Amino acid sequence: MIRSKPAAAILILIGGLAAITFGLALSVSVGAVDIKLGTVWDAVFHFHADSQQHQVIRSLRIPRALTGALVGACFAVAGAIMQGMTRNPLADSGLLGLNAGASAGLALAFALAPTLSFSYIMLYCFLGAAVAALLVFGIGSLSRSGMTPLRLTLAGAAVSALLLAVSQGVAILFHLSQDIAFWMAGGVGGASWKQLHYIFPWTAVALVAAMMISRSITLLSLGKDVAAGLGQRTRLVQTAGILIVIILAGGAVSTVGPIAFVGLIIPHITRYLVGSDYRWIIPCSGVLGGVLIVFADIAARMVNAPYETPIGALIACIGVPFFIYLAGKRKGGAL
């Protein structure tokens, strides 16, 4: 049965967008040197090129904040799609190997062609995520009984371990340990306008596409047979969903590293608040994912000031207990 709470969803969208707006302003003002919100306003609307603070705000802090909101939406929507398609409550792009695949692609890009532009690095991440998806879904489907949530989770764990080992081996062999370690920790500190310029078109199209197939994801979440009985072309929807997840996960990881658990936590919270209709789950997950990363980035700068704590570590502190709770609570595969 599909439960829908449109009133709650609209409130979440409005409140979430307001929270992102406030978080973006706060994120731009907080850093190694705190900047007053009035100065942030002036830098945005009355920019003076001779002001050092205005230069810092425009060239460093604004792209960092915007990137955090965008990749948070990407990770959260990717997790929501995967949970809906696979009917696996433990699914997200990190736990099912896509983040590890994108990281392996990144390591190979650094090793084989260190002078590549960011657009080609992003392409390597897409290819790595695609290879991981093929491996996970291929291994998960080997049994005669087909793909089950448990088998998919185990396949994801195995593929993640394999691809992380590949990343580390490449890093050691080509003396890239420091670069790879920085990326693996996860964070938006290195985000720039150039990176945002490359990933925004890809991820924006993928997010819109996710909205377009949201009704079909809702039907798939009821079961493949039910969806087929209601006229859905299940293979086409699954293929489209996997491609969207690859673009979202690959684009996000290429920019900020493999931040896990965002796609696990946010869709569950969203589903609890708005019901099981993915026409609401997907946009609300995107907004709440953006809120989480933006405020996690602010916390990362404040917890151990003047040094930054990796965002991935902060979110893992929430994600690991949440994962254990879900693993213990849910014994079935349906959402």
Side-chain angles (χ1 to χ4, degrees):
M1 180 179 178
I2 299 174
R3 296 177 292 106
S4 182
K5 302 176 184 177
I10 292 171
L11 285 175
I12 289 171
L13 289 173
I14 295 173
L17 290 172
I20 286 179
T21 302
F22 173 74
L24 291 175
L26 188 61
S27 177
V28 173
S29 67
V30 173
V33 177
D34 292 341
I35 300 175
K36 294 180 180 180
L37 289 176
T39 306
V40 175
W41 178 272
D42 288 338
V44 175
F45 296 103
H46 307 287
F47 178 69
H48 294 290
D50 56 345
S51 170
Q52 186 176 5
Q53 286 189 330
H54 284 202
Q55 291 283 3
V56 169
I57 291 168
R58 279 287 190 97
S59 61
L60 298 176
R61 294 194 178 181
I62 290 179
R64 173 176 182 155
L66 292 175
T67 299
L70 180 61
V71 299
C74 290
F75 282 128
V77 171
I81 291 174
M82 294 191 76
Q83 289 175 19
M85 284 199 314
T86 64
R87 306 183 73 221
N88 182 354
L90 303 179
D92 90 328
S93 60
L95 295 174
L96 294 187
L98 271 70
N99 289 1
S103 298
L106 184 87
L108 290 172
F110 280 177
L112 300 178
T115 59
L116 280 179
S117 66
F118 180 76
S119 60
Y120 285 100
I121 291 175
M122 187 172 64
L123 180 60
Y124 270 81
C125 288
F126 287 160
L127 293 175
V131 169
L134 290 174
L135 288 173
V136 170
F137 284 94
I139 294 171
S141 304
L142 286 177
S143 173
R144 290 182 179 179
S145 59
M147 186 169 54
T148 65
L150 176 60
R151 189 171 291 112
L152 200 62
T153 302
L154 293 174
V159 170
S160 292
L162 170 65
L163 293 175
L164 286 175
V166 169
S167 300
Q168 292 168 358
V170 169
I172 293 171
L173 184 62
F174 290 90
H175 308 290
L176 299 170
S177 297
Q178 186 173 357
D179 295 331
I180 299 300
F182 173 78
W183 225 277
M184 294 295 290
V188 296
S192 65
W193 283 117
K194 185 177 180 180
Q195 292 177 328
L196 193 59
H197 170 76
Y198 279 120
I199 70 164
F200 178 76
W202 289 88
T203 54
V205 169
L207 290 171
V208 172
M211 286 293 302
M212 292 174 65
I213 67 168
S214 58
R215 181 179 178 275
S216 299
I217 298 295
T218 301
L219 297 178
L220 273 180
S221 70
L222 299 176
K224 193 172 181 179
D225 293 337
V226 174
L230 293 172
Q232 288 297 309
R233 299 172 64 181
T234 56
R235 284 192 178 276
L236 179 62
V237 174
Q238 287 176 324
T239 301
I242 291 171
L243 287 174
I244 290 168
V245 169
I246 288 171
I247 292 172
L248 293 175
V253 172
S254 68
T255 308
V256 301
I259 300 176
F261 297 111
V262 178
L264 174 69
I265 299 170
I266 294 299
H268 277 281
I269 294 173
T270 306
R271 196 178 296 109
Y272 175 78
L273 294 173
V274 307
S276 55
D277 189 342
Y278 278 79
R279 288 176 293 181
W280 294 114
I281 290 174
I282 287 176
C284 290
S285 292
V287 170
L288 293 180
V291 171
L292 175 61
I293 294 294
V294 168
F295 281 94
D297 182 42
I298 294 170
R301 284 176 268 174
M302 299 175 67
V303 168
N304 193 30
Y307 305 102
E308 287 191 24
T309 303
I311 293 179
L314 288 180
I315 295 179
C317 291
I318 306 170
V320 171
F322 194 83
F323 177 80
I324 294 171
Y325 164 75
L326 286 176
K329 181 181 178 182
R330 295 181 182 269
K331 296 180 181 179
L335 291 175

